[in-house]
Each structure stands twice: as C-alpha cells, then as structure tokens.
C-alpha cells in the first residue's frame, strides 16, 4: 500500500509517554526540568533520544556543533531531506514541552513510518540542536552563521565552549563543517508549543506560523547630575530617573500607537546611586524590540532615537543608545504554510496565522532553506516554568499535523 492511500496517524500514547520519560531527566522537586546545555542531565537526555532514534530505524550522527542528526533514508537517491526537530536543553527551571515536543514529535513521525515499513521519496531528518536556550550555537552553525570567536560562546560560569562541545561529541575547531545548505535540507518544519496565550485565548488548536520575528536590543545610558534630594529645587534638577521614566513611557507609546504587530519592552533598569535622598545621576536601561519586518523595525528604531533626543533636551540629561543585539527576522515559506493549512482543513482543525515572537532554531535554519512552524497551545501562555503545559491531545494533534505536512511536502519537492 502506498503512502498516498494509507491513513497514517501518530501513536498518541507512545508520543506522550516519550515526553514524560524524557522529562524524568533533570526533573526538579517542584516538577520543573533543569537540563542546562552540556550538563550531565543534558548529556543523559541526548543519549536517551539517540537510543530512541536508532530503535526507530534511523542512523545517527553528531556534527561538529554537537547537533544530533537522526536520518531515516528515503526512496529517491540523492534527494534532500525533509527535516524537523528542536532542542532538549532547558532554562534553569523549564518545562516538559518547550523544544522537546518538536524533537519527540519528529521521532514519532519516523516511528510511524518505520513500523509500517514505509519510506518517503525524501529522507527525513530529526535534529536535536545544541544549546538553543542560550547561544543557539547548534542551529547557527548549521546555517553557517558562526561569525564570532570561541570567547563569544563562553558559558556563564566562565567555562570555554571548546571542552563543552567535546563532551557531547562536537569539535569547535571543525565547527564550520556543520554548515548545511538547500541541497541537503529541502525544507525544515518545526512543531513547537506557542509559549504565549493567543491560541488558548481564541480556543484554537493550531497556529500556522508566519515567521520568526527579528529582534533589536539596546543599552540606553541616561546621564544626569546626582544631587541632594532635599536641597535641590525641582526646576534645577537633572534627574536621570525622571528622564528614564519618560524613555520607558515613550517606548511603550511608540509600540502601542504605531500601526503594526510590533512589541517593545523595557525590562531592565539600574539606577545610580540608588539612594532615597539623592537625585538619581545615572540610569542604565535596556530596550527589547521585535517585529516580523526588518524595514518596520528600522522605522521603529528611528522613532525611538528621535524621542530620546527630545527627552534629553527636555530633562537636561544626556541619553545615548547602543545596540547590543540584532537578529534578522525569518519568514515562513508560503508553500509550507499552505501545506499546513491544507492539513488542518483536512483534519477539521481550525487555525490562525501567527508570528513567533520568541526565537527558535527554525529562525536560523530558515536562512538556508524553506522553513515553516506549527504552534500548539500553551496553557495560560506559560513557558520556561514548571507550570508549562500542553495537553496530550494537543501534542498529538500537532504531531499529526507535522506527519501529514511531511507527506504533502514529499510530493512538492522534486
């Protein structure tokens, strides 16, 4: 029987059992998960996933960036792979689903094909990317985007990246060999929990991701003049914190009132000298700005710079803005979005088009090949927490959408 006529669905019990079993590695007393990249827990989880890949009939290799690549051969010689995957490392107190669902759903797709003795025209690759939560070094290396020296990837505890990669089978000196291209990966589709509350709020089971937003971060330095809080008249002050407050409100106003779907946040303030009876002399604050359009992001940055100049003149302070991060947006391929939409309609699942405002490995891989993403709901919009939850039914629906999307894409690519 051919793939086109055989109804295929994932094994829900097996998928969700795998999620629970992987969550046992690094489980905390509060129910959260701690699997920091390169830790003993991360290495144990990686071993477990590799074992499952081999059981599912996949060959497994580790590239120089430490990425685990499970390969399920296709029928067509020399065909580029249809790839999926995500990450299994976590933040210090993470949940069971962030990243892990994408890896294990990809594994389940291969398990279904393997147990039915089926091969697609294209090979399928399930990829576990290295250190998504902090450096995104795995997917950056695969996209050929490692531009920095090893010191850039030094761990928070000061440990160099070289021995970290060695512990998981990688090799910094050969990291350039991890680069892939379109001739090797025809398309990449990542299933992920939304990590936000839109789908739950709208009571929709699936989000068809339109792209992963670009991001700017800026360090803003506001310099005033510290002085005695009791003896300095209000009209003679150069209060850096007052100026900073205007900056916070201006950033929020620009994001709210400018047409579009941008988000802007000031989530960090450091006040000096931070004394109750002293007029603040200096404030360090940070701006996070995100949107799906690079052109629109540049427009917003220009608006913010104009506002800062006005605020500085009005408050008698000096305000400088220094870029600390710039990540280009990555748009989803329209034909992959179309395939996901068709699958949802065939399955009777309502969906919405939604941007991803969090970063994902798909953002980097989308720089070298066609990319798409599927979102399933996160209860309460909570992620990076022990309270992170996506129901077994929602995980299964997402995995079935992924499976059926691969079956469509297998006919799309030559």
């Amino acid at each position: 029987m051919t793939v086109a006529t055989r109804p295929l669905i994932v094994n829900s019990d097996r998928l969700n059992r795998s999620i629970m079993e992987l969550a046992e590695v690094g489980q905390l007393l509060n129910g959260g998960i701690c699997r920091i990249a390169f830790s003993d827990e991360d290495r144990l989880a990686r071993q477990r996933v590799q074992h499952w890949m081999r059981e599912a009939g996949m060959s497994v290799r580790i590239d120089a960036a430490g990425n685990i690549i499970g390969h399920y051969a296709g029928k067509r010689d020399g065909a580029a792979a249809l790839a999926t995957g995500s990450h299994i490392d976590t933040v210090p107190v993470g949940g069971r689903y962030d990243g892990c669902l994408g890896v294990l759903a990809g594994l389940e797709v291969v398990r279904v094909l393997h147990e039915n003795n089926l091969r697609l025209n294209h090979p399928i690759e399930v990829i576990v990317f290295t250190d998504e939560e902090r450096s995104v070094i795995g997917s950056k290396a695969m996209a050929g985007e490692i531009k920095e020296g090893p010191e850039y990837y030094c761990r928070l505890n000061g440990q160099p990246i070289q021995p970290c990669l060695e512990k998981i089978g990688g090799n910094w000196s050969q990291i350039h060999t991890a680069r892939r291209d379109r001739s090797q990966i025809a398309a990449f589709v990542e299933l992920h929990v939304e990590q936000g509350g839109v789908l739950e709020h709208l009571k929709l089971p699936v989000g068809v991701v339109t792209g992963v937003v670009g991001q700017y971060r800026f360090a803003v330095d506001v310099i005033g003049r510290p002085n005695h809080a009791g003896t300095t008249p209000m009209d003679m002050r150069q209060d850096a914190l007052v100026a900073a407050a205007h900056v916070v409100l201006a950033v929020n106003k620009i994001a709210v009132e400018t047409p579009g779907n941008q988000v802007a946040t000031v989530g960090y303030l450091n006040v000096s000298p931070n004394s109750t009876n002293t007029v603040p002399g200096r404030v360090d604050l940070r701006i996070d700005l995100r949107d799906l359009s690079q052109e629109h992001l540049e427009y917003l940055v220009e608006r913010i710079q104009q506002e800062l100049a006005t605020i500085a003149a009005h408050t008698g302070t000096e305000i400088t803005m220094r870029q600390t991060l710039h990540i280009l947006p990555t748009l989803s391929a329209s034909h992959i979005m179309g395939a996901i939409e068709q699958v949802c309609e065939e399955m009777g699942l309502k969906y919405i088009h939604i941007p991803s405002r969090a970063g994902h490995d798909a953002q980097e891989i989308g720089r070298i090949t066609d990319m798409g993403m599927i979102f399933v709901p996160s209860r309460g919009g909570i992620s990076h927490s022990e309270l992170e939850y996506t129901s077994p039914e929602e995980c299964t629906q997402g995995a079935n959408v992924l499976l059926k999307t691969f079956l469509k894409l297998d006919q799309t690519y030559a």
Side-chain angles (χ1 to χ4, degrees):
M1 189 173 291
T2 65
V3 173
T5 59
R6 188 185 191 102
L8 294 175
I9 59 172
V10 302
N11 184 320
S12 178
D13 290 341
R14 182 172 57 197
L15 170 64
N16 287 285
R17 185 169 61 249
S18 296
I19 293 171
M20 295 303 106
E21 289 179 5
L22 190 60
E24 294 170 357
V25 183
Q27 190 163 50
L28 302 171
L29 292 177
N30 68 355
I33 313 297
C34 182
R35 284 198 304 266
I36 306 298
F38 311 113
S39 65
D40 290 343
E41 293 79 9
D42 181 44
R43 292 163 65 191
L44 180 58
R46 289 166 59 91
Q47 291 169 9
R48 184 167 294 188
V49 171
Q50 290 177 71
H51 174 70
W52 288 339
M53 286 177 168
R54 292 188 177 98
E55 284 187 330
M58 308 181 81
S59 62
V60 180
R61 70 180 180 92
I62 298 175
D63 68 15
N67 297 312
I68 301 170
I69 303 169
H71 185 91
Y72 186 73
K75 294 186 295 185
R76 186 179 297 162
D77 290 340
L82 300 176
T84 188
S86 193
H87 63 99
I88 59 173
D89 65 297
T90 73
V91 294
V93 183
R96 299 176 175 182
Y97 305 92
D98 174 16
C100 299
L101 174 61
V103 170
L104 298 177
L107 173 65
E108 179 59 28
V109 167
V110 174
R111 282 170 163 169
V112 170
L113 294 175
H114 182 60
E115 68 189 3
N116 285 279
N117 196 29
L118 293 172
R119 301 276 175 178
L120 302 187
N121 292 317
H122 296 77
I124 293 179
E125 288 189 353
V126 180
I127 306 172
V128 179
F129 293 102
T130 303
D131 193 24
E132 189 270 355
E133 290 294 2
R134 182 167 181 267
S135 69
V136 205
I137 191 172
S139 52
K140 284 183 68 175
M142 193 170 287
E145 292 291 325
I146 299 291
K147 312 294 187 185
E148 310 85 0
E151 63 282 351
Y152 180 86
Y153 296 96
C154 182
R155 309 301 293 166
L156 289 175
N157 62 5
Q159 188 176 21
I161 189 62
Q162 295 94 325
C164 292
L165 286 176
E166 288 174 7
K167 286 196 298 185
I168 62 171
N171 185 339
W172 172 266
S173 67
Q174 298 295 315
I175 200 163
H176 63 279
T177 64
R179 183 172 185 173
R180 312 283 296 280
D181 59 32
R182 189 180 296 271
S183 69
Q184 299 168 309
I185 300 177
F188 180 82
V189 184
E190 181 172 356
L191 171 64
H192 209 283
V193 293
E194 181 193 348
Q195 297 182 283
V198 175
L199 292 177
E200 183 185 55
H201 176 71
L202 296 175
K203 296 181 172 56
L204 293 174
V206 175
V208 180
V209 178
T210 54
V212 185
V213 298
Q215 184 177 358
Y216 275 110
R217 287 182 187 172
F218 297 97
V220 177
D221 199 17
V222 184
I223 302 175
R225 185 171 65 185
N227 215 331
H228 196 292
T231 62
T232 309
M234 299 302 291
D235 61 354
M236 295 175 62
R237 298 185 176 200
Q238 292 171 273
D239 190 323
L241 184 55
V242 168
H246 282 292
V247 172
V248 173
L249 292 174
V251 169
N252 184 75
K253 183 177 181 181
I254 288 170
V256 170
E257 296 184 356
T258 303
N261 294 308
Q262 65 279 332
V263 293
T265 307
V266 177
Y268 173 93
L269 285 169
N270 185 23
V271 181
S272 176
N274 208 25
S275 169
T276 303
N277 60 351
T278 304
V279 176
R282 188 166 191 158
V283 176
D284 170 27
L285 64 89
R286 307 298 169 95
I287 299 173
D288 182 293
L289 184 64
R290 308 184 189 208
D291 192 73
L292 200 54
S293 164
Q294 177 61 24
E295 182 180 1
H296 191 56
L297 279 172
E298 292 172 359
Y299 168 75
L300 294 170
V301 170
E302 184 178 349
R303 285 282 312 277
I304 291 172
Q305 289 172 329
Q306 293 170 351
E307 284 295 319
L308 296 194
T310 300
I311 293 167
H314 178 71
T315 58
T317 59
E318 178 185 347
I319 303 178
T320 60
M321 188 169 84
R322 175 174 56 88
Q323 179 182 307
T324 60
L325 178 73
H326 179 207
I327 301 174
L328 290 169
T330 303
L331 298 178
S332 297
S334 60
H335 65 278
I336 295 181
M337 291 174 58
I340 298 169
E341 293 163 8
Q342 290 175 27
V343 167
C344 288
E345 290 164 3
E346 291 168 4
M347 293 176 63
L349 298 175
K350 294 183 179 179
Y351 61 87
I352 187 175
H353 293 102
I354 184 173
S356 173
R357 294 192 176 93
H360 298 289
D361 293 305
Q363 184 168 23
E364 297 297 333
I365 303 305
R367 308 196 195 287
I368 59 169
T369 194
D370 299 337
M371 180 275 288
M373 289 192 72
I374 302 161
F375 274 174
V376 289
S378 296
R379 186 171 68 181
I382 297 172
S383 186
H384 286 189
S385 163
E386 69 275 11
L387 300 178
E388 180 180 278
Y389 181 75
T390 298
S391 73
E393 294 77 16
E394 290 164 336
C395 291
T396 301
Q397 284 180 339
N400 274 319
V401 172
L402 178 65
L403 167 61
K404 295 177 185 300
T405 298
F406 267 12
L407 297 181
K408 285 190 179 295
L409 294 179
D410 189 50
Q411 306 302 314
T412 300
Y413 290 91

